[in-house]
Amino acid sequence: MSINKDIKRITTETLRLMKFENRKIAMLTAYDFTIAQMVDKGGIDAILVGDSASNVMAGHETTLPITLDQMIYHAQSVVRGVERALVVVDLPFGSYQSDPQKALDSAVRIMKESGAHAIKLEGGSEVKKSISKIVNAGIPVMGHLGLTPQSIYQFGTYKVRAKEEEEAQKLIEDAKLLEKLGCFAIVLEKIPAKLAAKVTAAVSIPTIGIGAGSEVDGQILVVHDMLGMTHEFHPRFLRQYLSLHSQITGAVAKYVEDVKTLDFPNKKEQY
C-alpha cells in the first residue's frame, strides 16, 4: 500500500507506512496558532507541541517548570492552526512518572481539551506501567529515549547519551519494550548515529531523530532553533534555515527609526 501524497490528514498509520516504504518523516515543534499554520502549510508530517515551550516560550532554563494546564493551552493553539499534520503533545514533568492512573488522567485531559492526536512521554522500562495504561485506553503514545530533558538533573549534562555499551544496550531493549507496549513511534535524542541505526532496524515502528544521525526514519527540530530565532544555540545537529533573530531585531530597529523620524506613517498609511 503506497502513501497518497495528497492525503488530507496524517495519522499514526501514515507514519507506520512511511517507515515501511522508507519515506522519511519530517517533524517540527510548534507552540502557537500562527507558527502552527505556517509549519502545516509547509508540508510537515507531524508537529510536536513540546515541553520545550518551557524554554523557548517562557524562558525557563529547563523543561521542568511547565505545567499540564500550560501544555494544554499551547496544544489548543496549535490544533486550531493545523489541517494536515499529526499533532503530538508532550506530557510534562510530574504528570505521568509516579502513578499510571495520574498518567492516564493527564493524557485524557490533553486529548479531550486540546483535540490533539497523540501524546509523548520520556523513558523506557521505568514508565512502562504508565505507557500501558494510556495505550490501553486507546490513546496513541510516542516514546522518547536517549537524552530525556525532563531527567536533566539526574544526567547533570546535555551531552550525548548511550556512548557506553551498557547504556546503549539498555536503550535498544527499551526501544523494543516501547514497541511491545504499543507505542506508535520513538524519538531518539542525542545518541550516536550507529546506535540510532541499530534501534531503527530493531523495531518496526518509526524512529524520529534529533542529533541521532541520518539512518532513523525521520527528523525533528525545535522550530525556533531551525528558524534561527534562538540565535545563541548552535549544537552540531542543528541546521538553521533562516536567521530570524537578526532579521526581526533589524526590522524592529528600522520601525523605531521610522517612527521617531516621522517617516511612519506616511500619507498613504493613514485614513
Side-chain angles (χ1 to χ4, degrees):
M1 180 179 179
S2 62
I3 295 172
N4 183 353
K5 293 181 180 179
D6 298 320
I7 190 168
K8 293 183 178 179
R9 171 69 76 179
I10 301 291
T11 67
T12 57
E13 175 65 7
T14 312
L15 300 190
R16 188 191 70 79
L17 287 171
M18 290 177 77
K19 177 184 176 85
F20 179 75
E21 297 185 347
N22 197 29
R23 297 173 183 257
K24 295 299 184 182
I25 298 164
M27 191 170 185
L28 284 169
T29 65
Y31 316 99
D32 65 83
F33 173 80
T34 303
I35 294 292
Q37 268 194 321
M38 291 187 284
V39 168
D40 190 55
K41 289 181 179 179
I44 208 73
D45 298 310
I47 292 174
L48 174 65
V49 185
D51 57 3
S52 45
S54 180
N55 309 109
V56 298
M57 300 298 287
H60 293 297
E61 183 179 0
T62 71
T63 61
L64 273 60
I66 199 163
T67 66
L68 182 61
D69 284 341
Q70 289 168 333
M71 288 302 304
I72 290 171
Y73 166 78
H74 285 294
Q76 290 170 336
S77 302
V78 167
V79 168
R80 293 187 196 107
V82 171
E83 295 181 355
R84 180 178 180 274
L86 180 79
V87 178
V88 184
V89 183
D90 266 333
L91 283 180
F93 177 73
S95 68
Y96 64 92
Q97 290 93 338
S98 61
D99 177 11
Q101 185 59 50
K102 183 176 182 180
L104 176 59
D105 292 343
S106 301
V108 167
R109 278 200 62 199
I110 285 176
M111 299 296 284
K112 285 179 68 70
E113 296 178 34
S114 75
H117 312 124
I119 61 95
K120 180 173 78 66
L121 51 76
E122 298 179 2
S125 58
E126 307 84 2
V127 292
K128 63 181 181 181
K129 291 182 179 178
S130 292
I131 293 173
S132 292
K133 192 85 170 174
I134 298 169
V135 169
N136 289 339
I139 298 173
V141 175
M142 175 179 281
H144 185 150
L145 299 173
L147 176 64
T148 48
Q150 291 180 10
S151 303
I152 188 56
Y153 288 133
Q154 180 182 1
F155 293 152
T157 175
Y158 284 102
K159 291 182 179 178
V160 175
R161 302 301 307 173
K163 295 176 75 173
E164 302 299 326
E165 180 61 30
E166 183 177 351
E167 188 180 353
Q169 189 57 43
K170 183 183 185 304
L171 192 145
I172 294 172
E173 291 171 0
D174 277 341
K176 292 178 179 178
L177 175 62
L178 293 183
E179 178 180 15
K180 184 178 179 181
L181 292 171
C183 290
F184 72 88
I186 305 171
V187 169
L188 299 175
E189 180 167 0
K190 219 167 182 183
I191 66 173
K194 288 184 179 179
L195 175 59
K198 285 183 180 179
V199 173
T200 302
V203 296
S204 62
I205 58 177
T207 57
I208 311 295
I210 177 167
S214 61
E215 294 188 55
V216 287
D217 298 308
Q219 300 291 336
I220 182 170
L221 287 174
V222 171
V223 70
H224 289 65
D225 299 339
M226 187 272 282
L227 295 176
M229 298 172 77
T230 46
H231 69 298
E232 295 178 349
F233 185 59
H234 296 290
R236 182 189 300 185
F237 64 80
L238 174 62
R239 181 181 296 182
Q240 286 189 349
Y241 286 79
L242 287 174
S243 300
L244 284 188
H245 182 271
S246 59
Q247 291 177 268
I248 291 172
T249 54
V252 171
K254 185 66 171 79
Y255 168 73
V256 170
E257 177 188 349
D258 289 352
V259 169
K260 293 183 180 295
T261 60
L262 304 182
D263 182 72
F264 176 81
N266 59 36
K267 290 184 178 180
K268 293 182 179 179
E269 295 163 330
Q270 60 190 5
Y271 297 99

